[in-house]
Amino acid sequence: MQIKQKNIIKKIVDICMTVLLLCLMAYQVTGEALHEWIGIGMTVVLIIHHILNIKWYASLFKGKYNAYRIITVIVNTLLLASIALTALCGMAMSSHAVPFLYGFLPITFARRFHLAMSFWSFILMGLHLGLHIHAISAGLIRNGKLRATLAVIGTVAAGCGFWLFIKNGIPDYIFFRTPFAFLDYEKSAVVVFAENLAELIAFVFLGTVCVSLIKSCRNRNNENKNKLFINLIFILIAALICVALLLYGANDNKDNDASAWNASLPQTQPFENEPAQIVQPASPVEPQAQTNPVNINDGYILITGGTYLMGSPAAENWRIDDETQHEVTVSSFYIDSYETTQYEYSRITGQNPSLFTGDNLPVDSVSWLDAIAFANAKSTDAGLTPAYTVSDGGIVWNRSANGYRLPTEAEWEYACRAGTATPFNTEKSLDADDANFYGHYPYEIEENYFDDSVLEARPGLYRQTTVAIGSFYKSKWGLYDMHGNVNEWCWDYYGEYDLKNTVNPAGAASGTRHVYRGGGWNDFGKNMRSAYRAAGQSDLKAPNLGIRLVRNADSGIPQNVTALEDTHTMEAKGKTLIAFFSWSGNTRSIAQEIQQQTGADLFEITLVNPYSTNYNTVLMQAQ
């Protein structure tokens, strides 16, 4: 009775392993988190399977070895090794089940081997089942006609399975020709499981035929000769089905190429161009020399003026041509230790435009014009003289006013660097524990996707939101979040650096965009660099744009600077098309903004086999 119960338990465990295997191979159905937990379950069931079959290990060095036993031992040993490697590499990439093991193997190695070994495990599991199918099914099917019918069905399914095995590109995975899985996320769960089952049946069929051939060759009587002939017929049928489907698929693809191309062409609409408005200059405002109060209780930090190298050296990785390094001198000024909070912005303006809401979060979705208005309102609230005069003709900055204002680009970079000359004021590459940014993309990952073990900062958390001010380290000069969280508007127009006027420069004389600095929660590591420059129109609002104010530390500079937007008209010469591809939606938003401002036609490029919606998977697919 105990032996019978043990055999029943063995069969239940075998069934569980087969079902879990099919679920593991259906990643596009289960998703990342469930896939990891199913993998843990598979590991547990596999351990139980080996405990129940412990006698097999004890018999390895006993008795004689024939062809069947040799093949069985080889398949079982390779299966155990491939499953063990699959599990280890999977744990090294885990984000859900065992996240504390993430990275204990190099991620590039883990991805490549997890992909290859998972398919080898799938193949070897099918062969393993096929080699033992007679023992597993003993006594279950006694009817000869039913067995024959199942054999024919199995042969047809095997032919389809071998075709799917080739069609889905699995040979490329198992022979390490590609480290990334290309999965069809348009398929329904039923189709995915049916295809995986057919592929598994193909290798079960192969293992079963192998056993029959061994027995037929070993005992060459008439009955076994007939079985040998029947097995060869089954193999031929499966092979013909596979070849026929491959040929049909190749011809079908050729026929569809032209029609698919024509169907992908967009239907355009007439382009209508609207003339730009012309902004007239404002009348000059006489500067007012004032004494800057030093006892304002606003918590701002005094930054002592000095001379430094603004921009980036030619050897700095991912530098851009507009970062020309040159010597700049700035006077002393006061700066907020923190980015402006939503509480402060709401208290002053009575409004909160932020996408991410919270009193202690930085205000976001503010334009350059909003920042100017806020600075003036805060100055009035504190009893200081506003720095800006706003009119229809433009905005005039009174550089001697003692009120709050936006930093110049030179002041911002001087404060950010805090005496450093490295890409970041941390003097090392930023990681997700240093700043709030797109942590999956630390500095220099672009050239190290396939081996991120060489990076100084490894891929980390992407929070996808702003965080409370002061959540990360404080720079040597006492400032928080100069890298990441939200970008911070500067006064300057974007343009080439003036290499002659380098004492308290205020940027280009005119332009169409204003500079913002520091990078935001959704920017890559390379965009966090102290020298990196970004720019947007004065009315641009985005969830990664915020404010950090400064004020003069002395009587200021007796000079007025006028911000007068350059405008130009565009002569329509035919139609304009914006064609774009977007996975996460970022590029789509930019394309829609361009379309709104230009009236161009818009066409989104889509993939026949879409990328995964899971970030880690799409990163692998994109390679």
Side-chain angles (χ1 to χ4, degrees):
M1 180 64 74
Q2 289 182 345
I3 294 175
K4 187 175 181 180
Q5 288 178 341
K6 187 174 182 180
N7 288 334
I8 292 173
I9 293 172
K10 283 183 178 180
K11 289 180 179 179
I12 292 173
V13 169
D14 289 340
I15 292 171
C16 288
M17 286 178 62
T18 304
V19 172
L20 289 173
L21 178 68
L22 291 171
C23 291
L24 281 172
M25 303 309 292
Y27 182 94
Q28 63 267 55
V29 174
T30 61
E32 180 178 319
L34 185 56
H35 177 80
E36 289 186 18
W37 286 110
I38 293 173
I40 296 295
M42 182 68 166
T43 303
V44 172
V45 174
L46 184 68
I47 292 171
I48 295 172
H49 173 81
H50 281 277
I51 292 173
L52 291 172
N53 293 277
I54 193 70
K55 288 184 179 180
W56 181 81
Y57 291 94
S59 66
L60 281 174
F61 302 101
K62 298 178 182 179
K64 294 181 179 180
Y65 274 80
N66 54 30
Y68 171 77
R69 191 179 181 191
I70 291 172
I71 292 173
T72 301
V73 170
I74 291 173
V75 169
N76 290 352
T77 303
L78 291 175
L79 176 60
L80 180 61
S82 63
I83 290 178
L85 273 172
T86 302
L88 285 172
C89 293
M91 292 175 185
M93 299 186 296
S94 176
S95 301
H96 304 279
V98 285
F100 51 90
L101 293 177
Y102 180 90
F104 81 91
L105 292 174
I107 298 300
T108 304
F109 169 88
R111 284 175 182 154
R112 184 180 287 269
F113 270 77
H114 181 75
L115 180 62
M117 291 300 107
S118 63
F119 281 106
W120 274 116
S121 299
F122 184 75
I123 293 168
L124 291 166
M125 181 69 83
L127 293 174
H128 173 80
L129 289 172
L131 291 171
H132 296 84
I133 196 70
H134 294 293
I136 294 171
S137 62
L140 294 178
I141 305 172
R142 300 180 184 277
N143 188 296
K145 291 184 178 179
L146 179 59
R147 281 205 305 268
T149 301
L150 291 175
V152 172
I153 294 173
T155 301
V156 174
C160 295
F162 286 126
W163 166 65
L164 289 168
F165 181 82
I166 297 170
K167 175 178 174 287
N168 292 334
I170 296 175
D172 288 337
Y173 303 143
I174 62 176
F175 294 116
F176 298 91
R177 286 199 287 264
T178 177
F180 306 106
F182 295 90
L183 306 176
D184 187 353
Y185 286 83
E186 290 291 321
K187 290 179 183 175
S188 67
V190 173
V191 172
V192 171
F193 279 101
E195 288 189 358
N196 288 342
L197 181 60
E199 291 175 25
L200 183 64
I201 289 173
F203 291 98
V204 173
F205 169 85
L206 202 59
T208 304
V209 169
C210 181
V211 173
S212 296
L213 290 175
I214 290 172
K215 288 183 177 180
S216 299
C217 293
R218 188 171 54 192
N219 301 313
R220 297 184 179 180
N221 52 38
N222 289 333
E223 182 181 353
N224 284 323
K225 286 181 180 179
N226 290 335
K227 287 184 178 179
L228 176 62
F229 178 77
I230 292 171
N231 284 322
L232 291 175
I233 293 296
F234 282 151
I235 293 172
L236 180 61
I237 291 172
L240 288 174
I241 290 172
C242 177
V243 172
L245 289 172
L246 286 172
L247 292 174
Y248 176 80
N251 291 332
D252 189 56
N253 287 339
K254 288 179 181 178
D255 293 338
N256 288 334
D257 280 347
S259 59
W261 168 255
N262 291 330
S264 69
L265 295 177
Q267 300 299 315
T268 59
Q269 299 295 328
F271 172 73
E272 295 181 2
N273 183 48
E274 296 182 1
Q277 295 181 350
I278 307 298
V279 179
Q280 299 298 329
S283 56
V285 177
E286 290 298 321
Q288 299 177 8
Q290 298 175 344
T291 302
N292 192 59
V294 295
N295 295 321
I296 299 175
N297 187 23
D298 57 10
Y300 281 30
I301 290 179
L302 175 64
I303 301 296
T304 304
T307 299
Y308 77 107
L309 285 176
M310 185 178 183
S312 60
E316 183 167 305
N317 199 11
W318 285 100
R319 79 183 297 270
I320 302 175
D321 291 341
D322 64 1
E323 299 170 14
T324 305
Q325 194 171 49
H326 60 296
E327 193 174 87
V328 169
T329 300
V330 295
S331 300
S332 299
F333 59 96
Y334 287 94
I335 187 171
D336 197 341
S337 296
Y338 306 98
E339 293 165 331
T340 299
T341 64
Q342 293 176 32
Y343 172 81
E344 179 70 0
Y345 191 89
S346 300
R347 185 185 70 81
I348 296 294
T349 67
Q351 299 175 340
N352 185 5
S354 303
L355 174 65
F356 308 106
T357 55
D359 285 351
N360 214 30
L361 296 179
V363 65
D364 67 68
S365 303
V366 288
S367 67
W368 183 83
L369 292 171
D370 292 334
I372 292 292
F374 171 71
N376 274 358
K378 185 174 173 65
S379 298
T380 301
D381 181 71
L384 302 176
T385 302
Y388 306 113
T389 300
V390 181
S391 69
D392 292 338
I395 296 173
V396 178
W397 170 24
N398 177 4
R399 299 193 71 172
S400 64
N402 62 5
Y404 295 100
R405 60 178 177 83
L406 297 178
T408 63
E409 196 178 1
E411 288 172 332
W412 189 95
E413 186 173 327
Y414 181 65
C416 175
R417 287 191 175 280
T420 65
T422 47
F424 311 97
N425 62 27
T426 53
E427 299 185 89
K428 69 176 185 66
S429 291
L430 287 177
D431 60 35
D433 294 329
D434 296 322
N436 182 29
F437 70 106
Y438 206 135
H440 297 328
Y441 279 78
Y443 186 47
E444 299 182 322
I445 193 173
E446 287 80 3
E447 59 265 53
N448 294 291
Y449 280 128
F450 293 98
D451 186 10
D452 59 21
S453 63
V454 303
L455 295 176
E456 186 176 17
R458 305 291 290 281
L461 182 64
Y462 174 35
R463 299 173 179 86
Q464 304 183 56
T465 181
T466 56
V467 299
I469 60 169
S471 295
F472 298 95
Y473 75 96
K474 180 170 61 176
S475 76
K476 292 179 180 179
W477 288 0
L479 306 179
Y480 294 90
D481 299 315
M482 295 299 286
H483 299 300
N485 217 14
V486 289
N487 289 275
E488 300 163 13
W489 284 110
C490 296
W491 162 262
D492 310 44
Y493 278 122
Y494 174 78
E496 292 185 5
Y497 287 135
D498 186 342
L499 303 183
K500 296 180 179 179
N501 300 316
T502 59
V503 178
N504 293 312
S510 62
T512 59
R513 294 176 293 159
H514 290 276
V515 173
Y516 54 83
R517 290 289 207 115
W521 56 270
N522 59 347
D523 285 313
F524 293 174
K526 62 186 179 183
N527 300 337
M528 300 292 112
R529 294 178 300 110
S530 300
Y532 180 76
R533 309 171 73 199
Q537 289 84 1
S538 58
D539 60 352
L540 174 65
K541 298 183 181 184
N544 67 344
L545 289 176
I547 305 170
R548 186 191 301 265
L549 296 181
V550 301
R551 57 182 173 84
N552 293 339
D554 50 34
S555 58
I557 302 170
Q559 176 188 359
N560 284 358
V561 180
T562 302
L564 175 62
E565 297 284 323
D566 273 358
T567 59
H568 59 279
T569 58
M570 180 170 59
E571 182 181 352
K573 295 181 178 179
K575 298 179 179 179
T576 302
L577 175 67
I578 303 166
F580 71 94
F581 168 77
S582 180
W583 172 73
S584 65
N586 290 338
T587 306
R588 183 182 297 108
S589 298
I590 294 170
Q592 290 171 344
E593 178 67 23
I594 297 171
Q595 191 273 340
Q596 184 178 359
Q597 295 190 30
T598 64
D601 294 319
L602 196 64
F603 175 69
E604 181 170 3
I605 300 166
T606 58
L607 299 179
V608 174
N609 298 313
Y611 281 132
S612 169
T613 55
N614 176 270
Y615 174 77
N616 289 329
T617 302
V618 82
L619 179 63
M620 292 191 293
Q621 291 175 320
Q623 305 314 309

